[in-house]
Amino acid sequence: MIFSLGSNTIYRNTETALWKQIENIAKQIQKEKTSITEPGLLDGKSGIVLLFAYLSKLFPEKNYSEITGGFLDELSDSLSNDELGYDMSTGVAGIAFAFQHLINIGVLDKSDDLNLSEIDEFISLGVDNDFKNSNWDPLNGMVGLGIYFLERNKETGEKKYLEKIVDYLAKMRTIVNEYKVWITPGYGKYSNDNYNFGMAHGMPGILSFLAQAHARGIKQQETEEMISSCLPFLLQHEYAEDEEYRFPNSVEVNPGDDDQKPGARLAWCYGDLCMANTLIHCGNSLQKIYWKRKGIDVALKTTDRNVESVGCMDAPFCHGTTGLVHQYNNFYRLTGNEVFKYAAENWLSITLEKYYKPGEGVGGYFFRCLNEETNRFEYMPRYGLLEGSSGIALVLLSDLYDIKPDWDIIFLTNVRESNL
């Protein structure tokens, strides 16, 4: 059994209140289901169905299985009738990930004919297209497709798609002195070409994927070379011990004349925890204990941060407080270090005190979003996994009931075990 209700729950004193939040989020999503039209994994139905699938495993006596089935029927219709892209974030790969993940956790039967093998070929063409467009992005590009194929590999053992992605990623590197790295191209007036240190759009996402491919026996010689020729480049940009942060969000390829230090924050998408997760992934996979210890040390240093210094303005997984709760709980599961347990409890308390508004938003949560019409940030209700209430509910559910949250391979934060 994946799920265990054991007595070692971290949030004993608030169990009832947290469950009520999860239940209210699920009820409101079901009530307003017709307004949720996007099929995607990060902000649409494919991510939301993961919440109901895990609920159905925990509470088979409730109607969560029926709700899960309804979402899956709608996703099947989208695959058949909608014109969708192939990407993991909003397209076919994200929908296929949801189906495969539900097979892997036992919600769907392996004998069901889901046509995933045909979908694999379509997504593989997307890998080719991303290579042509130099799109290796962990969320929206080739690495995201690789995460889907990692999930497929759990059932099928198929390696050819992952091998192709590894080969393409090797060809997409740029030589910088003795290193081989991936450069993030500039985006209009917002950024110049840069070395990106974020999990969402940067090299930590690539390296964490490669480490997990290596652990599955995928081109191990090549993936070890790729990791070993890039990770030291990131480490050489570490700040001094007495600095508040250990790593920047990004460093420009051609920096200007000013001496201003690149900015940093603390979140899933950017900040020191990106490097912590990556170092642990790479250390585990390549059996380099000093990388793993370095990652744990980086994560421990972040537990000193307060809410004023980290940049969190709301609660979602991506850049908010529940993403921190989830990651600290993972580090606690990995190490047993009570400091991580207390950090998770602290960020949960901050979430409840600052961002939970009972009766408002989606299950009590609003999210800071850019209103494209006014070009201003506003707080709005959102349902999705990455930046919405279903992601918050999954984090709370995973920790409250001490389940193994295998869904978080999507975000490459799955560092709970020594051997991945």
Side-chain angles (χ1 to χ4, degrees):
M1 288 285 289
I2 292 175
F3 300 97
S4 171
L5 295 182
S7 60
N8 189 27
T9 177
I10 293 176
Y11 308 124
R12 293 185 299 272
N13 296 332
T14 54
E15 180 175 344
T16 301
L18 290 176
W19 165 244
K20 202 67 179 175
Q21 283 192 36
I22 297 166
E23 191 173 41
N24 286 339
I25 289 171
K27 285 179 178 178
Q28 190 165 351
I29 290 173
Q30 174 62 7
K31 180 180 178 181
E32 301 176 16
K33 185 179 177 183
T34 56
S35 66
I36 305 171
T37 58
E38 295 298 322
L41 182 64
L42 297 187
D43 291 315
K45 299 174 187 176
S46 298
I48 291 170
V49 77
L50 299 180
L51 169 62
F52 287 99
Y54 278 84
L55 284 167
S56 73
K57 288 283 290 186
L58 279 168
F59 305 104
E61 74 281 4
K62 297 180 182 289
N63 70 332
Y64 295 124
S65 293
E66 180 181 345
I67 298 170
T68 300
F71 274 111
L72 292 175
D73 288 342
E74 293 181 16
L75 291 171
S76 294
D77 289 342
S78 291
L79 287 173
S80 300
N81 303 315
D82 296 345
E83 293 185 8
L84 299 173
Y86 54 81
D87 66 278
M88 182 76 158
S89 299
T90 63
V92 169
I95 298 175
F97 176 92
F99 278 100
Q100 182 62 61
H101 187 69
L102 268 56
I103 291 172
N104 291 345
I105 66 172
V107 171
L108 292 177
D109 196 300
K110 292 182 179 181
S111 63
D112 292 341
D113 183 13
L114 299 175
N115 296 318
L116 290 180
S117 294
E118 294 180 16
I119 291 174
D120 289 347
E121 290 300 319
F122 174 72
I123 296 172
S124 180
L125 293 176
V127 173
D128 296 334
N129 192 60
D130 280 343
F131 175 64
K132 292 176 184 176
N133 294 326
S134 299
N135 180 17
W136 48 258
D137 191 85
L139 274 189
N140 303 309
M142 187 187 299
V143 172
L145 303 182
I147 293 170
Y148 163 70
F149 284 119
L150 284 174
E151 191 69 16
R152 281 287 281 155
N153 173 266
K154 290 180 181 179
E155 179 193 2
T156 67
E158 179 62 72
K159 295 182 178 182
K160 65 179 181 180
Y161 304 112
L162 289 165
E163 289 173 345
K164 179 164 73 168
I165 291 172
V166 169
D167 287 342
Y168 278 162
L169 287 172
K171 295 175 182 177
M172 297 166 80
R173 294 179 293 175
T174 298
I175 297 174
V176 179
N177 300 322
E178 69 268 35
Y179 309 106
K180 295 180 181 178
V181 303
W182 293 266
I183 293 176
T184 298
Y187 182 66
K189 64 180 180 180
Y190 299 101
S191 65
N192 299 318
D193 291 356
N194 63 87
Y195 307 115
N196 193 298
F197 285 68
M199 187 66 80
H201 304 295
M203 285 184 271
I206 301 175
L207 297 178
S208 293
F209 162 74
L210 289 173
Q212 296 193 61
H214 184 279
R216 307 284 182 89
I218 308 299
K219 287 187 170 284
Q220 289 186 319
Q221 183 175 346
E222 292 86 347
T223 51
E224 182 169 358
E225 182 275 326
M226 293 164 74
I227 292 168
S228 299
S229 64
C230 178
L231 186 53
F233 173 84
L234 299 180
L235 289 172
Q236 76 167 356
H237 288 85
E238 184 176 9
Y239 296 148
E241 276 284 338
D242 59 351
E243 296 280 354
E244 184 176 28
Y245 292 92
R246 300 288 285 271
F247 294 94
N249 288 341
S250 64
V251 175
E252 289 192 4
V253 173
N254 297 301
D257 296 331
D258 62 68
D259 295 328
Q260 186 174 358
K261 185 175 71 173
R265 61 168 302 159
L266 189 65
W268 164 74
C269 51
Y270 283 98
D272 287 351
L273 293 180
C274 301
M275 285 296 296
N277 281 297
T278 296
L279 283 160
I280 295 169
H281 276 304
C282 294
N284 277 339
S285 182
L286 274 59
Q287 298 183 342
K288 295 185 182 295
I289 190 65
Y290 54 91
W291 280 349
K292 180 178 178 180
R293 287 174 177 167
K294 177 73 171 179
I296 294 170
D297 177 65
V298 170
L300 280 170
K301 179 75 183 299
T302 68
T303 60
D304 294 335
R305 308 275 148 63
N306 58 40
V307 68
E308 289 77 20
S309 70
V310 302
C312 290
M313 297 183 181
D314 51 4
F317 190 96
C318 178
H319 50 266
T321 53
T322 53
L324 301 181
V325 172
H326 182 72
Q327 290 178 87
Y328 286 130
N329 275 325
N330 277 349
F331 296 135
Y332 175 57
R333 288 174 172 130
L334 176 70
T335 67
N337 190 323
E338 295 284 312
V339 173
F340 290 127
K341 174 184 174 181
Y342 298 142
E345 291 175 338
N346 177 56
W347 284 105
L348 177 66
S349 296
I350 291 169
T351 301
L352 300 179
E353 292 169 7
K354 289 181 66 70
Y355 303 122
Y356 176 56
K357 310 293 182 185
E360 301 180 21
V362 179
Y365 291 97
F366 286 106
F367 305 92
R368 189 172 181 265
C369 310
L370 179 64
N371 186 326
E372 295 183 358
E373 293 182 2
T374 64
N375 199 35
R376 297 177 64 180
F377 282 97
E378 301 174 6
Y379 284 89
M380 305 176 185
R382 299 189 70 167
Y383 302 93
L385 180 65
L386 181 67
E387 297 181 328
S389 290
S390 64
I392 291 175
L394 255 182
V395 168
L396 298 180
L397 188 73
S398 298
D399 297 325
L400 181 61
Y401 291 97
D402 198 25
I403 64 174
K404 186 179 179 183
D406 286 336
W407 53 268
D408 74 344
I409 191 175
I410 298 167
F411 303 112
L412 300 168
T413 56
N414 52 331
V415 295
R416 295 171 296 279
E417 301 169 2
S418 294
N419 295 306
L420 302 169

